[in-house]
C-alpha cells in the first residue's frame, strides 16, 4: 500500500508539473519542428533549442511547485464585510510576528512625513516636512540613523540599496549614506518636490517648482536629461517599474510620460479636471487622483481610462501592491481596494482612519502584507492580507542578505546597468541599424530631391525664368504670389552645389595618399571599404 501511495503521489506531482509547464512555454506549438528543416546541421540546432526550451519550462514549473508560501486574503462570512474588520481585531487573531507589524510612531512635531521602503522591504526611510530624517529596520525595531537637516524636506527615496538614500530638500536634492553623512549635493535638482529612482539604469529623476524633469546618473554624476514640461510647478512623480518611464502629474490635470533622451513627453494624458494629486504605476496600469475627488485607473498601453472611483476627499497619495491591491490616502482615511485594476471593485477591501491626521504618503512594503503611511502625526503601519508577494527571489531582492551578498549584488547591478537611451514605452521593441554608409544616404537624399524637383516642375509649381514685364505695381497680390512661387533658381543652385561638393569629396579621397598602415596585408580590405564609401 505504501509503495502504491508513493506511485500515485508521484503521478499527481508529474501531472501538476505538466500543467504548470504550459504557461512557461515560448513560441507557437510546433514552430521549431525539426522535420521541416532540410539541413542536418540546422535540424540538430533546432532540436537542441527545442530541448533547451522544454528543460527551462520544466525547471520553472518545478521551482514553482517548491514555493510553499501562498498568498491569502481576508474572507468574510454571511453579511460581514472585510472593510469592517479593524486592525485591533486582526492583531488578536494573527501570530505574534504579524501582530508586531501593526504600530504607530507618534512624531507630530516634525510632520507630515514622506516614507519609502527599500527594495527588499527590510528598511524604512522617514522624512519629516520640518527636516527630520531617519532610517529604521522596522521588522526588528532598530534605528539605523537619525538626523535633522533644519530645512524643508519634501520627499525621500532609497537608491539601489539601503546604503544610500536621496532627499528632496528646500533648495537642492541631497544624497546621504546609511550613517546619515551627507555624500553629495545635487545642484541640478533645483527646488525638488518629488523624487524617483530608476533601479536598472542608476538614474535619479526629480521634478520641482520650476517644472523641469531632471535625470542624473548617480554612478558618474552627470545629468543625462533635463526637460521643461511647460505646465508649471509639479509635485507628483512616479517611476513605472516595467519600462522605467517617469510619470509626472501637473496642475492642469495632465499626466506626462518622460524618457531621459526625449526632449518632448512620450505621451500626454488629460486625467482630471483639477490638479493631479497622486500617481501610482505597476506596469500596465496607472492610477491617478485629482482635486475633483476621483481616482481613475488607466491602461498605459492603450492610454485610456478603465475605471473610476469616488472618494470622500481628494486622495493625496496612491500606491499599488505587488499583487495588485490599490491603496489611497484621503485625509485621515486609508482605503484599500482589491481587484480594482483589471475590474471595477464594488466596495473597499480594507479601511482605516486615524482621527486628527492627514495622510501625506503611503507605500506597500515589498514581500510583506503591510501598508505604511506617513501623516501629520507621524507614521503608521497596518496589516493588509494578500498585499505582498509571498515568495521572494534571492537574486532580485533578498530580505536576509548578508554584507558580502549585498556587495556582490551591487557589483552585479553595476555590470548589468542599462544605458539611458534604452528607456521607451515598449521595452520589448528591438530597433535595427542602418547598413548604408553616409555617402549612400547622401546620394539617395540627393536623388529624392531631384525627383521631387522634377515632379514639382512638371506640375507647374516653378516658373523657370519666365519673361516678366517689370512695370509698376509690383506689390499687388498677384505679384507677391508669383514671386513666392519662383523658388526654382534657389533649389537648382542648391542641387548643383550638392553635386559639386560630392564630386570634390570623391576627387579628394581618390588623390589622398594611402597611409602606411593600409598598405600591408589588409590593403585589399581598405580598398574595398573606400570603394563602397565612394
Amino acid at each position: 500500500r505504501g509503495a502504491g501511495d508513493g506511485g500515485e503521489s508521484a503521478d499527481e506531482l508529474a501531472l501538476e508539473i505538466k500543467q504548470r509547464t504550459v504557461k512557461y512555454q515560448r513560441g507557437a506549438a510546433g514552430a521549431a519542428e525539426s522535420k521541416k528543416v532540410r539541413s542536418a546541421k540546422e535540424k540538430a540546432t533546432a532540436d537542441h533549442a527545442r530541448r533547451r526550451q522544454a528543460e527551462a519550462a520544466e525547471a520553472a514549473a518545478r521551482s514553482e511547485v517548491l514555493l510553499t508560501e501562498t498568498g491569502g486574503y481576508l474572507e468574510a462570512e454571511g453579511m460581514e464585510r472585510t472593510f469592517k474588520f479593524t486592525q485591533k481585531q486582526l492583531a488578536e487573531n494573527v501570530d505574534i510576528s504579524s501582530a508586531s507589524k501593526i504600530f504607530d510612531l507618534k512624531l507630530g512635531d516634525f510632520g507630515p512625513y514622506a516614507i519609502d521602503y527599500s527594495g527588499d522591504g527590510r528598511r524604512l526611510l522617514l522624512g519629516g516636512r520640518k527636516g527630520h530624517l531617519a532610517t529604521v529596520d522596522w521588522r526588528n525595531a532598530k534605528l539605523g540613523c537619525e538626523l535633522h537637516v533644519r530645512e524643508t524636506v519634501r520627499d525621500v527615496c532609497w537608491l539601489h540599496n539601503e546604503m544610500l538614500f536621496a532627499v528632496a530638500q528646500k533648495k537642492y536634492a541631497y544624497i546621504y549614506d546609511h550613517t546619515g553623512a551627507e555624500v553629495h549635493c545635487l545642484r541640478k535638482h533645483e527646488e525638488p518636490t518629488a523624487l524617483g529612482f530608476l533601479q536598472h539604469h542608476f538614474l535619479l529623476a526629480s521634478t520641482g517648482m520650476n517644472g523641469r524633469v531632471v535625470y542624473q546618473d548617480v554612478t558618474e554624476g552627470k545629468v543625462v536629461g533635463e526637460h521643461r514640461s511647460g505646465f508649471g510647478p509639479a509635485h507628483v512623480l512616479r517611476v513605472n517599474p516595467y519600462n522605467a518611464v517617469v510619470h509626472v502629474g501637473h496642475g492642469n490635470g495632465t499626466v506626462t510620460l518622460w524618457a531621459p533622451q526625449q526632449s518632448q513627453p512620450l505621451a500626454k494624458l488629460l486625467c482630471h479636471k483639477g490638479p493631479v494629486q497622486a500617481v501610482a504605476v505597476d506596469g500596465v496600469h496607472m492610477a491617478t487622483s485629482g482635486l475633483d475627488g476621483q481616482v481613475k485607473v488607466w491602461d498605459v498601453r492603450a492610454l485610456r481610462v478603465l475605471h473610476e472611483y469616488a472618494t470622500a476627499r481628494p486622495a493625496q497619495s496612491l500606491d499599488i501592491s505587488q499583487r495588485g491591491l490599490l491603496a489611497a490616502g484621503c485625509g485621515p482615511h486609508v482605503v484599500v481596494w482589491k481587484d480594482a485594476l483589471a475590474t471595477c471593485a464594488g466596495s473597499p477591501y480594507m479601511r482605516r482612519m486615524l482621527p486628527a491626521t492627514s495622510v501625506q504618503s503611503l507605500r506597500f512594503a515589498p514581500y510583506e502584507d503591510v501598508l505604511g503611511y506617513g501623516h501629520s502625526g507621524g507614521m503608521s503601519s497596518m496589516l493588509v492580507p494578500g498585499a505582498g508577494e509571498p515568495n521572494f527571489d534571492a537574486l532580485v531582492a533578498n530580505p536576509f542578505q548578508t554584507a558580502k551578498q549585498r556587495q556582490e549584488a551591487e557589483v552585479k547591478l553595476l555590470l548589468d546597468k542599462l544605458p539611458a537611451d534604452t528607456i521607451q514605452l515598449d521595452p520589448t521593441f528591438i530597433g535595427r541599424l542602418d547598413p548604408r554608409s553616409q555617402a549612400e544616404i547622401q546620394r539617395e537624399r540627393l536623388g529624392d530631391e531631384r525627383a521631387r524637383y522634377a515632379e514639382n516642375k512638371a506640375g507647374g509649381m516653378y516658373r523657370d525664368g519666365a519673361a516678366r514685364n517689370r512695370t509698376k505695381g509690383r506689390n499687388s497680390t498677384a505679384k507677391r504670389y508669383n514671386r513666392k512661387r519662383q523658388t526654382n533658381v534657389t533649389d537648382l543652385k542648391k542641387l548643383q552645389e550638392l553635386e559639386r561638393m560630392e564630386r570634390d569629396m570623391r576627387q579628394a579621397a581618390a588623390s589622398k595618399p594611402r597611409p602606411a598602415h593600409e598598405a600591408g596585408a589588409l590593403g585589399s580590405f581598405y580598398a574595398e571599404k573606400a570603394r563602397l564609401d565612394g
Side-chain angles (χ1 to χ4, degrees):
R1 177 186 289 263
D5 292 343
E8 291 178 359
S9 61
D11 293 341
E12 293 176 358
L13 179 61
L15 180 60
E16 183 179 1
I17 292 175
K18 184 177 180 181
Q19 293 175 350
R20 292 175 181 268
T21 305
V22 176
K23 67 178 181 179
Y24 292 105
Q25 293 176 351
R26 296 293 182 265
E33 293 183 358
S34 58
K35 63 182 181 180
K36 297 182 180 180
V37 182
R38 297 182 180 180
S39 174
K41 182 177 179 180
E42 296 298 332
K43 182 178 180 180
T45 303
D47 290 337
H48 179 68
R50 189 174 65 254
R51 286 195 301 270
R52 290 289 299 273
Q53 293 174 359
E55 292 173 358
E58 184 178 357
R62 287 183 177 276
S63 64
E64 185 178 345
V65 171
L66 295 177
L67 298 178
T68 57
E69 298 292 337
T70 57
Y73 297 97
L74 280 178
E75 298 292 341
E77 297 180 355
M79 300 295 293
E80 294 180 339
R81 294 292 182 266
T82 56
F83 62 85
K84 295 290 186 180
F85 297 151
T86 63
Q87 293 295 307
K88 183 178 180 180
Q89 293 174 339
L90 288 178
E92 294 173 353
N93 293 276
V94 297
D95 58 279
I96 298 177
S97 177
S98 298
S100 64
K101 298 174 183 177
I102 304 175
F103 59 87
D104 295 314
L105 298 178
K106 295 183 179 180
L107 304 168
D109 296 336
F110 305 110
Y113 276 82
I115 70 168
D116 190 25
Y117 287 97
S118 58
D120 56 6
R122 185 175 178 178
R123 299 280 180 173
L124 172 65
L125 176 60
L126 301 172
R129 180 60 60 88
K130 297 181 181 179
H132 179 229
L133 297 175
T135 61
V136 184
D137 184 355
W138 65 274
R139 292 179 179 175
N140 302 321
K142 292 183 180 180
L143 180 65
C145 72
E146 186 177 15
L147 67 151
H148 202 291
V149 297
R150 298 184 180 180
E151 67 177 10
T152 303
V153 172
R154 299 188 180 96
D155 197 11
V156 292
C157 171
W158 286 106
L159 298 188
H160 58 283
N161 57 23
E162 65 273 12
M163 303 302 290
L164 296 171
F165 60 91
V167 181
Q169 296 181 202
K170 181 179 180 180
K171 193 172 182 180
Y172 302 115
Y174 292 82
I175 294 180
Y176 299 87
D177 65 1
H178 66 287
T179 64
E182 180 183 327
V183 180
H184 297 290
C185 174
L186 309 178
R187 298 183 182 275
K188 288 293 184 179
H189 303 258
E190 298 178 358
E191 298 183 355
T193 57
L195 299 175
F197 185 70
L198 283 63
Q199 179 77 20
H200 301 289
H201 304 78
F202 281 83
L203 297 178
L204 179 64
S206 74
T207 187
M209 300 300 294
N210 53 16
R212 294 185 303 171
V213 181
V214 182
Y215 292 85
Q216 188 162 4
D217 192 330
V218 298
T219 60
E220 301 177 2
K222 66 179 182 180
V223 175
V224 299
E226 186 174 1
H227 315 305
R228 293 188 179 274
S229 63
F231 295 113
H235 302 272
V236 182
L237 183 145
R238 293 299 291 270
V239 179
N240 191 338
Y242 174 64
N243 53 15
V245 172
V246 170
H247 297 234
V248 180
H250 303 279
N252 60 351
T254 303
V255 174
T256 54
L257 281 61
W258 296 89
Q261 299 297 323
Q262 302 291 332
S263 59
Q264 297 296 325
L266 303 177
K268 297 180 184 179
L269 286 81
L270 182 59
C271 299
H272 297 276
K273 298 178 181 179
V276 177
Q277 296 295 103
V279 174
V281 194
D282 74 335
V284 298
H285 296 100
M286 177 181 68
T288 62
S289 67
L291 278 181
D292 54 0
Q294 296 288 326
V295 174
K296 298 183 180 181
V297 179
W298 298 77
D299 187 344
V300 180
R301 298 165 297 183
L303 301 178
R304 62 184 180 89
V305 64
L306 298 178
H307 317 295
E308 296 183 13
Y309 301 95
T311 56
R313 295 186 182 182
Q316 296 294 326
S317 182
L318 297 173
D319 198 27
I320 301 175
S321 72
Q322 292 176 320
R323 303 192 66 194
L325 270 64
L326 175 62
C330 314
H333 301 274
V334 175
V335 185
V336 181
W337 287 281
K338 175 186 173 185
D339 299 329
L341 302 179
T343 60
C344 185
S347 62
Y349 173 58
M350 294 192 69
R351 181 184 294 166
R352 190 186 185 190
M353 184 186 74
L354 283 179
T357 61
S358 178
V359 177
Q360 174 70 17
S361 70
L362 53 81
R363 295 290 184 271
F364 283 99
Y367 308 103
E368 292 284 351
D369 292 342
V370 172
L371 173 64
Y373 53 97
H375 47 80
S376 57
M379 183 267 173
S380 300
S381 176
M382 60 181 288
L383 281 181
V384 183
E389 180 65 33
N391 300 284
F392 64 89
D393 188 350
L395 298 178
V396 177
N398 185 6
F400 309 102
Q401 68 180 358
T402 62
K404 184 66 174 178
Q405 291 174 339
R406 185 189 67 246
Q407 294 171 1
E408 294 178 353
E410 187 172 7
V411 173
K412 188 176 184 301
L413 283 174
L414 287 171
L415 292 175
D416 295 339
K417 175 186 172 184
L418 299 177
D421 53 4
T422 59
I423 299 176
Q424 54 186 348
L425 280 178
D426 185 8
T428 61
F429 174 77
I430 300 176
R432 61 184 181 88
L433 297 176
D434 193 346
R436 301 175 300 174
S437 64
Q438 189 67 25
E440 293 176 348
I441 296 175
Q442 188 175 1
R443 281 198 297 268
E444 292 182 5
R445 187 183 298 114
L446 184 61
D448 294 340
E449 291 182 1
R450 288 175 176 172
R452 192 181 307 112
Y453 171 74
E455 181 180 356
N456 294 336
K457 182 179 178 181
M461 183 175 180
Y462 304 124
R463 298 176 60 186
D464 291 333
R468 300 187 303 275
N469 185 14
R470 295 183 177 273
T471 58
K472 294 183 179 181
R474 293 181 59 205
N475 290 329
S476 64
T477 304
K479 296 293 184 179
R480 288 197 301 267
Y481 176 72
N482 290 333
R483 283 202 303 272
K484 289 181 180 179
R485 293 180 60 192
Q486 293 174 4
T487 58
N488 59 305
V489 177
T490 303
D491 289 344
L492 187 58
K493 288 183 177 180
K494 181 179 178 181
L495 293 175
Q496 294 174 353
E497 183 66 19
L498 288 175
E499 291 178 353
R500 186 189 63 79
M501 292 175 60
E502 185 182 5
R503 184 170 60 254
D504 293 344
M505 289 174 58
R506 288 199 301 266
Q507 293 177 358
S511 61
K512 184 178 179 180
R514 180 179 297 181
H517 67 277
E518 296 184 6
L522 299 179
S524 59
F525 295 98
Y526 285 107
E528 181 67 17
K529 181 177 180 300
R531 186 185 66 81
L532 293 176
D533 291 342

